[in-house]
Structures are given as C-alpha cells and as structure tokens.
Amino acid sequence: MPLPTSPAPFSIPWLAHGAHWQQQADNARAAWDGQRAFGAQIGRLAERQAQQAQAGLGALAQSMQQLFASLWQPPADGAALAAQWQDYWRDATQRQLLLLDTLRRRGNTFLEHEAAGMPPVLDFDYELVLDGATLPRPVNYQLLRVVPPAGAVVDEGKRPFMIVDPRAGHGAGIGGFKADSQVGEAFKNGHPVYFVAFRPVPEPGQTLADVRDAELLFLSEIAARHPGAHRPAVVGNCQGGWATMLLAASRPELVGPVVINGAPMSYWAGKTGQNPMRYVGGLRGGALPALLLSDLGDGIFDGSALVANFEGLNPANSLFKKVYHLYANVDTEAERFLEFERWWGGFFLMTEAEIRWIVENLFVGNKLARGEAELGGERIDLRRIRSPIVVFASEGDNITPPPQALNWIPDLYADADEIRAHGQRIVYMVHADIGHLGIFVSAKIAGREHDAITDVMAALEALPPGLYEMRLDDEDRVRIRFEPREIEDILAFDDGRDEEAQFASVARLSELGTQVYETTLRPLVRAAVTPPAAKAFRAMQPLRARRVAYSDRNPLMGQVATLAEQARAQRTPVDAANPFLAWERMGAQLLEQQLNLYRDLRDGRNELLFHLLYGAPAVQRMATPALTQRHARRREDLRALPDVRAALDGMTEGGAVEGTVRMLLLMAKARGYLRRSRLERLQTYRATAEFARMDEEAWGRVVYQQSIAIEFEPEQALATLPLLLDTEAERRDALAAVHAIMGEGPSQHAAAHAAAQDLLQRFEALLRLPLAAPIVHDEGDESDEDSPAPPPTRRRTARAKATA
C-alpha cells in the first residue's frame, strides 16, 4: 500500500488564486497604460490639427483683408475706371461664352469617345497584335504595337518595351499621351514599343488572374517577334505598376527590367498629416462599398467611383481651379484642356471579382506587399522576381507618396544583405516635387527622368544584387550613378509604422463586414437590380451626368456654339493691368484658399476620426495576429540559403570571367557607388570578350555568385583571386579590363578615387604584376565619357579549377 504524499506547495489553492489575481492586476495595469497612451496620442493629433486650422484661418483672414483693402481704395479717375470696367466686362463675357463652349465640346467629345469604344488616347499610331477577347479565357485587354513617328529609327534587335497603363477608372494611353512621353523616349533610343490597352467593358466572368495570364501571353508574343533581343522591359504606371509586379513574380523568366512609376505597392504607408487618402477605406467600411457598388451595377463596378476619389482629394482643383484656369486662359488653354479631359473622362468598368481582389489584397488588405496575396490559386511572392526593378516616386505625389511606393521593400526584406542574398536588384529614384499626374504626362519629366531610365537599361543588367538609389547629378543626365542604400534609407521616407496596427484592424473589420453583408443584404440587392437599372445607375453618376449636361444633348446648349463663334470674331482681351482683372484674380485666389482650408479641416477631421475608431487598444487587438506574423518574421540565416552557400563554397572555382567580375565588383564596393557609364562599358566589354559566349542567365549567375562572395567574405574573395587567374596573361587581361571599364590607372592616380587606387595596388601586388598596365581612358572619378572598352588581348573560356 503506497504511503500518502503531501501536496506540492504550488498546488495550495490560496497560492494559485493569488497568482491568478496578480495576473489580472497586471493585465488591468497594462490596459490602463495602453488607454492612457491612446488618449495622449489623440490629444497630440487634436492639438496639431488645431494649430494647422488656426494657421489656415489666419492666412485666409489676411488674404481677405488684402482683397477688401484693394477694393475700397478710392479711384483716381472715375471716367477712366468706368472705361476699364467696360473693357473688363466685355472681356469677361467673351471668356464666359468661350468657357461654356469648351465645356460643351468636352461633353461632345465624351459622348463621341464613348460611342467609338474609348480607344487609347495615344499620340501615336498603333497596330493590333493580340486581342484578349479571342483567348480561351477572354479578357478585354489588347496588345498593340506602337508605330514609330516619322524620323524615328527603331532597331528590331534592341530590347522591346511593353508599357502597361493603369486601369483605375480611366482608359489607356497616358504613357504615350504626348510626343515627349515614355513611348517617345523609348523610340528616341531605338527600342520597339508595345502597349497594353483595354476596352471599357470587361468580358463576362473576367478575373485578374485571367488578365495576368493574357499579359504573360503578350510578353511571349513580343519575345517571339524579337528573338535576338534581350527580354522585354515592362513599364507599369500607377495601378499598372503592381500589375507589372504580378507578371514578373509569376513568370520571372519572361520579364526583363521592371519599371514602376508612381505605383502604390504598400497602401498602409504614409506620413501622419500628409497622406489622408489612405484613411478612406477605414472610414467607409473597407471592401463593403466596392461590393455594394458592384451589386448595384449588376456585377459591374463603375470606375468613375475611383476617379471621384481622386478628385475629392483636391476639391479646390476639381471644383474651381481647373475650370478657372481654363476661364482665365481660354484663348490658349482650350485645346490642352480638351486633350487631357478626353483621357480623364473616359470611365472604364471592372467585374466584381476584379475590384474585390484589388480592394482586399491592395487597398485595404495590403497583402501583396507582405507576400500574402494569392492570385489564380498561387501565392504571389515578389522575391521571385529576378530582373532589375526600378521604382520612380515623388515627394510631391499626394496619391502615391514615396512610402507607399517603397515600403514593400522593408516588408519583404530585413536588410539590404537579404536583397543581395536573393539575387535581387532594386533601384529607386525620388523626385522632389512633381505631382502624381506629372509623373506620367509632364514633358519635362519624360525628357529627364523617363529618358534616363530608358537610357540605363543596359547598365541595370550589369548591376550586382543590392538596393540602390539612382541619382541624376546634372541636367543633361551625363552623370548617372547608382548609390548603395540600406533598408533604413527606405524607412526614412516615412515617419514610423506604428499606424499599421490600425490599418490591420480595418482589414479585419472589413472581412467581418463583407461576411455580414454577403449573408444578409446581398441577396436582396442582387434580386432588386436589373441590367437596365444598372445602366441607368451608371449614367446618373455625377462625373458622367455633368459631361452629358454640357453637351449638345442638352437643348439649352443649342445657341452656345453660335454665340462662342461671335465672341471669337469680336475677341478683345482686356489689358493685363486692368484693376478689375486684378480683383478677379485675387478673388479666385481667395476662393481657392477657402477650398484648401476646407480640405485641410476635412482631412484633419478624418485623420482624427480614424485614429479614434481604430487606434483604441481594444480595436487594435483585433489586428494582433496579422501584425505579429510580420514582426515575428525572423531574419533568415542568409548563409544557410542554398544559393549563398553554393556561392561561398565555390569561391575558388571559375576562371577569367569570374576573376574579372570579382575584381570589378570589389572596385565598385571600394568606390561606394556605380556610374552608369562604367556599367555600360562593362556591357560593351561583354560583347567583345569571352563573356559574349554567356547568355543573360549565365551572366547573371556569375555576377550573383561573385557579389555574394565579396559581401560575405570580402577578404577571402580578394585573397583567392590568384586561384581564378592562374596565368600571367589572364591576370594582365583582367587588370586591363578593370582599368578600361572603371577608368582607373596610373595616369589618373592624382585625381582618381583613393580607395579604388589602393585596391588596384593590392590587385597588382596580389597578382604579382608591375604597376604599369595598359590605360585606355583619361577619366577621373567625376568624369563619365562614354568611350568603348578595348577588346582583350587573349580569350579563354571560363573553366572550373580545383580548390587549393
């Protein structure tokens, strides 16, 4: 019979209860501290917004005082003032008639464009190559071959470009809207250009997976038409940017360099007080409005709702400034206004499946940036992309600010070493002040930034893996350099990521809201909507109705054209010094200022309301699982990755190619940046040396392996160079190539980069070569003359060598 045992001390009931109550007290204290922190945060927000409102009201009062002071000054000459008033009145009446006639023409253009099927608004002729409507899974997308303008010379052997415009409510064509555009710059550089366009109405049952698959077929067709060229470069504008990234992640082997301009990739990102558009989803119920509007459209989502969101972001411009600018300059601005409105007023449609994927995975869910989005049954991992990625953003872009364009990078990679370990090349360029539309339509941006991006395509392929900022050091873009950056440089564009817990709460509540809607109201809404009712609902949308109201369909506009012609015939512009014209402009500025103040107060209210709703600790706890998953993602043991381990294990294997590339990468690391001209000279050297026997994939593998070696084991990579270059001829050839490509040699010792010269001397000592080596370029560290590299004196196929 076993002896009775005494209970363990920790099983005494009163002790267990004491620990329980202590835990409860700790939880209550933590909850109280969280609530206090939340209250302090709301207080700071309210205080900042009160200060901004006070400053805005003060500026408005000062402007009103100046206007009234100018109005109440007694006239020096009453008769002269009366004559000036008569001149101004005649001019104002004529401008009003011409403005009304321009709005009438806009309405007619809207109806004509709609009746014609809303073709792309390209400023170039084009030919249809593939129609997505004929595919097994039909889509409303088309592949067009853009016809070069007169005088343009296109080399069919050069890398083709495929430009993907945004389908965010508007039609296609903004990438080739003018002669000075992305299309025009590609033609100037001799590239064949293809354009992805789309019809206004989607095919029944169309999904984004179908669109992605059609665009992959487009890429295959382009590659088949240019068998000797490099893989197509794909340019995505705005919403076309994330669509382009989907392509590159789905079939990396089909895609060349990827360029995304003003593309929102990380929708939760932004600065407090500066980027209010990201709060809209939370304040309007997440994905629910998109589903409801799709149901009211009989399964079709009206893109004019997205355009209305854009216009609402800047009410001063949408409601007044744009039209007043036309009114004030109606003699010169009418045609430009009509040209732009032809694109801006082309409202396109989506299926419910398309807009739902976009909202749940991008706008609200932000899943693509976190690597959680699924499309067509497969998870989209942007780390699969192997081609160089160029991101162009602007500090002046209030629709896609730099954090939204760039924060997908820190979401996917812990640091720049991880980018290098995955063999990725990411380049970003941030403009100081251009607005969102200016990124695509500004001739100045096309002639500088877009032309520079087109120019560096060959250089991008020669970049070693890593994160870079592309810098244009001068106006004529002669000096373009790529400076290595870290993840911290990306995060510096933002003011912190604490708000993301609130956006994760929005995503979770959105899921719950759509579930409730689908099980309760949705069947009733769908049963009540008929196709004619859906068509009438779309026709009544304000942006459409406004244009139709000003067209010739309105009987009240019948005499406008005749009166406008009379006004043009009798046109007498008022003198620029007329005081009434000055008062008009001051009044316009005052009204614009009032609307801007309204916008700032509205945005401040929305921001405060968003934080009140979703910043509460109880609400934020709903998002904890999703955020914990991202924050708990531990940094990978990069050395354990198979490709990294293979590169380090094979550090002593290879030949002249591997040795030359390693020396070039060591030189670039010593300099701290890479110039476009040096990368292009390397590409030229590739065409003449034994590199030419390697295809793009083999070349990329060599660059990746050697970059891994010098990043993880730089001293060992340097010390093992003699094992790769084991003959004097190989060593001389390799050193001559380095001198020629990098522009460093004895004749430049006084002016060249000090760290690079020190490394050159180490090369020469290590390889047991005399200092005198063949010098071709007379170029210092800041020079960038693009002279070609000489052919090597001896060729030799790279071969594996036994490790020492």
Side-chain angles (χ1 to χ4, degrees):
M1 178 178 180
L3 295 174
T5 57
S6 299
F10 295 105
S11 65
I12 298 175
W14 67 268
L15 284 176
H17 285 301
H20 170 75
W21 288 114
Q22 181 62 45
Q23 182 64 42
Q24 294 299 316
D26 291 343
N27 291 342
R29 189 177 299 110
W32 173 248
D33 291 343
Q35 198 64 37
R36 288 182 61 190
F38 169 62
Q41 179 192 18
I42 295 300
R44 288 191 297 270
L45 275 175
E47 182 180 4
R48 178 178 57 79
Q49 289 168 8
Q51 292 172 352
Q52 290 178 344
Q54 184 177 5
L57 287 169
L60 180 62
Q62 185 176 4
S63 298
M64 293 179 68
Q65 185 178 5
Q66 292 174 353
L67 176 61
F68 292 145
S70 65
L71 285 174
W72 288 109
Q73 289 180 357
D77 185 348
L81 186 65
Q84 289 172 333
W85 166 252
Q86 186 177 6
D87 293 341
Y88 170 76
W89 179 254
R90 180 174 57 251
D91 170 72
T93 303
Q94 291 172 345
R95 283 188 288 144
Q96 289 170 17
L97 287 171
L98 295 176
L99 169 67
L100 194 59
D101 185 58
T102 304
L103 295 179
R104 179 190 66 84
R105 292 168 62 195
R106 180 186 70 169
N108 291 342
T109 300
F110 168 76
L111 294 172
E112 292 165 1
H113 191 49
E114 192 173 53
M118 296 190 189
V121 293
L122 290 168
D123 191 40
F124 302 84
D125 294 331
Y126 54 86
E127 303 166 349
L128 178 64
V129 176
L130 279 177
D131 189 346
T134 64
L135 299 177
R137 292 282 302 174
V139 294
N140 64 332
Y141 278 66
Q142 300 171 319
L143 177 65
L144 310 177
R145 171 75 187 257
V146 185
V147 178
V153 179
V154 171
D155 183 353
E156 297 294 327
K158 270 195 167 185
R159 183 193 304 277
F161 274 59
M162 186 175 90
I163 299 175
V164 182
D165 260 4
R167 187 165 159 238
H170 303 108
I174 200 68
F177 189 62
K178 301 176 179 177
D180 292 325
S181 61
Q182 294 162 3
V183 172
E185 297 307 324
F187 278 142
K188 287 179 184 177
N189 285 273
H191 295 277
V193 180
Y194 294 82
F195 209 90
V196 176
F198 34 85
R199 291 185 296 274
V201 181
E203 296 292 328
Q206 176 176 308
T207 67
L208 283 180
D210 299 331
V211 172
R212 186 267 318 268
D213 293 344
E215 291 178 336
L216 290 173
L217 287 175
F218 294 169
L219 278 172
S220 298
E221 176 64 22
I222 294 172
R225 286 169 168 251
H226 302 273
H230 293 295
R231 289 174 297 177
V234 186
V235 180
N237 295 321
C238 189
Q239 305 287 347
W242 56 256
T244 295
M245 296 288 275
L246 291 179
L247 293 180
S250 299
R251 293 285 301 278
E253 72 279 6
L254 289 180
V255 182
V258 175
V259 181
I260 54 176
N261 302 306
M265 295 289 298
S266 185
Y267 286 79
W268 293 353
K271 291 184 178 180
T272 303
Q274 294 185 26
N275 306 128
M277 195 173 185
R278 58 201 176 116
Y279 301 122
V280 172
L283 296 178
R284 294 185 180 177
L288 182 57
L291 297 187
L292 178 59
L293 288 173
S294 297
D295 290 340
L296 292 174
D298 194 30
I300 296 296
F301 178 82
D302 188 355
S304 68
L306 299 176
V307 181
N309 280 342
F310 297 146
E311 292 201 347
L313 193 61
N314 189 354
N317 183 70
S318 302
L319 300 176
F320 176 71
K321 183 179 178 180
K322 180 169 68 173
V323 176
Y324 176 73
H325 180 74
L326 173 62
Y327 170 68
N329 305 276
V330 71
D331 298 309
T332 57
E333 285 293 304
E335 296 306 320
R336 187 205 61 82
F337 174 84
L338 292 171
E339 182 183 26
F340 178 79
E341 286 291 309
R342 183 167 172 261
W343 171 74
W344 187 257
F347 307 121
F348 281 57
L349 310 177
M350 298 182 186
T351 64
E352 184 265 343
E354 289 178 299
I355 190 62
R356 182 166 190 168
W357 192 95
I358 292 171
V359 172
E360 292 183 343
N361 289 276
L362 301 171
F363 294 173
V364 175
N366 199 41
K367 294 180 180 179
L368 181 62
R370 302 201 311 271
E372 299 171 6
E374 292 187 2
L375 184 66
E378 64 175 294
R379 189 171 67 89
I380 302 298
D381 187 354
L382 300 181
R383 289 176 295 186
R384 292 186 61 206
I385 301 174
R386 287 294 172 263
S387 300
I389 301 172
V390 180
V391 183
F392 179 31
S394 173
E395 294 277 14
D397 187 344
N398 63 346
I399 292 177
T400 307
Q404 290 190 12
L406 296 170
N407 271 14
W408 62 274
I409 303 172
D411 278 344
L412 293 177
Y413 301 101
D415 53 31
D417 282 342
E418 191 173 351
I419 296 176
R420 286 187 279 269
H422 283 277
Q424 183 54 272
R425 290 156 290 178
I426 303 175
V427 178
Y428 68 89
M429 180 169 56
V430 179
H431 195 276
D433 51 31
I434 193 69
H436 184 71
L437 289 176
I439 290 176
F440 319 115
V441 302
S442 168
K444 183 177 180 181
I445 295 298
R448 178 172 163 80
E449 279 75 11
H450 290 308
D451 189 32
I453 292 171
T454 305
D455 253 356
V456 301
M457 283 297 165
L460 291 175
E461 296 284 9
L463 269 179
L467 176 65
Y468 301 90
E469 181 178 5
M470 179 174 164
R471 303 295 299 271
L472 278 60
D473 290 344
D474 48 14
E475 284 297 323
D476 55 5
R477 307 177 327 281
V478 170
R479 297 191 179 105
I480 300 175
R481 58 181 177 174
F482 303 92
E483 298 184 357
R485 292 290 183 259
E486 299 296 329
I487 292 296
E488 290 73 20
D489 296 306
I490 299 294
L491 295 175
F493 287 105
D494 209 338
D495 58 358
R497 310 193 74 179
D498 295 338
E499 282 186 317
E500 293 191 4
Q502 300 173 40
F503 288 98
S505 300
V506 172
R508 179 59 183 146
L509 288 172
S510 174
E511 292 175 1
L512 296 174
T514 54
Q515 290 172 8
V516 171
Y517 171 71
E518 288 179 318
T519 56
T520 56
L521 295 178
R522 189 169 211 185
L524 300 175
V525 175
R526 285 183 166 179
V529 175
T530 63
K535 186 176 180 180
F537 177 70
R538 285 192 290 272
M540 290 188 296
Q541 293 301 310
L543 293 178
R544 281 194 179 85
R546 189 184 310 156
R547 284 164 171 76
V548 175
Y550 279 101
S551 72
D552 285 338
R553 285 190 183 179
N554 184 349
L556 298 177
M557 300 294 290
Q559 296 301 314
V560 169
T562 302
L563 294 173
E565 284 301 318
Q566 295 175 2
R568 288 189 187 91
Q570 303 171 10
R571 184 77 178 103
T572 309
V574 70
D575 187 88
N578 189 292
F580 294 100
L581 182 63
W583 291 335
E584 174 199 296
R585 291 172 178 168
M586 291 179 64
Q589 292 175 1
L590 181 62
L591 180 54
E592 182 183 350
Q593 199 170 356
Q594 289 174 327
L595 289 170
N596 285 335
L597 178 60
Y598 155 74
R599 176 202 61 202
D600 294 341
L601 293 175
R602 178 204 64 187
D603 292 346
R605 177 206 65 194
N606 289 345
E607 183 180 69
L608 185 61
L609 181 59
F610 181 90
H611 284 84
L612 278 169
L613 289 174
Y614 298 104
V619 177
Q620 285 202 24
R621 278 194 288 273
M622 300 182 64
T624 299
L627 280 186
T628 302
Q629 183 178 1
R630 180 174 71 84
H631 290 305
R633 180 178 63 85
R634 282 189 264 175
R635 187 181 184 278
E636 296 177 88
D637 182 1
L638 301 180
R639 288 177 177 268
L641 293 176
D643 288 341
V644 174
R645 190 168 60 248
L648 295 178
D649 291 344
M651 196 182 301
T652 57
E653 299 176 1
V657 170
E658 287 79 4
T660 304
V661 170
R662 186 179 299 180
M663 291 170 70
L664 290 168
L665 293 177
L666 285 166
M667 288 288 289
K669 188 175 179 66
R671 278 178 163 274
Y673 63 88
L674 294 123
R675 282 206 182 278
R676 180 270 308 264
S677 59
R678 296 185 177 97
L679 294 170
E680 289 179 345
R681 283 199 292 270
L682 175 57
Q683 293 294 75
T684 303
Y685 187 83
R686 279 187 61 196
T688 57
E690 58 188 88
F691 298 114
R693 305 184 186 184
M694 307 170 67
D695 58 19
E696 285 187 66
E697 185 177 351
W699 166 252
R701 186 163 55 249
V702 169
V703 173
Y704 169 75
Q705 291 169 345
Q706 300 311 312
S707 65
I708 290 298
I710 68 171
E711 288 298 333
F712 286 84
E713 298 290 349
E715 288 303 320
Q716 187 179 350
L718 182 60
T720 54
L721 269 176
L723 300 177
L724 303 180
L725 306 166
D726 60 356
T727 70
E728 183 176 347
E730 285 180 348
R731 295 175 182 184
R732 285 188 178 278
D733 286 351
L735 198 57
V738 171
H739 285 175
I741 292 168
M742 302 302 293
E744 308 282 5
S747 66
Q748 293 92 5
H749 277 191
H753 197 282
Q757 282 299 318
D758 289 343
L759 184 59
L760 269 176
Q761 292 176 12
R762 292 188 67 185
F763 287 160
E764 291 157 348
L766 188 66
L767 300 176
R768 295 191 176 95
L769 291 175
L771 188 62
I775 305 302
V776 177
H777 300 285
D778 186 15
E779 171 185 79
D781 184 48
E782 294 304 315
S783 176
D784 241 335
E785 295 175 5
D786 297 323
S787 49
T793 59
R794 181 170 178 265
R795 295 187 182 187
R796 180 174 175 277
T797 304
R799 58 182 174 85
K801 298 182 180 179
T803 57

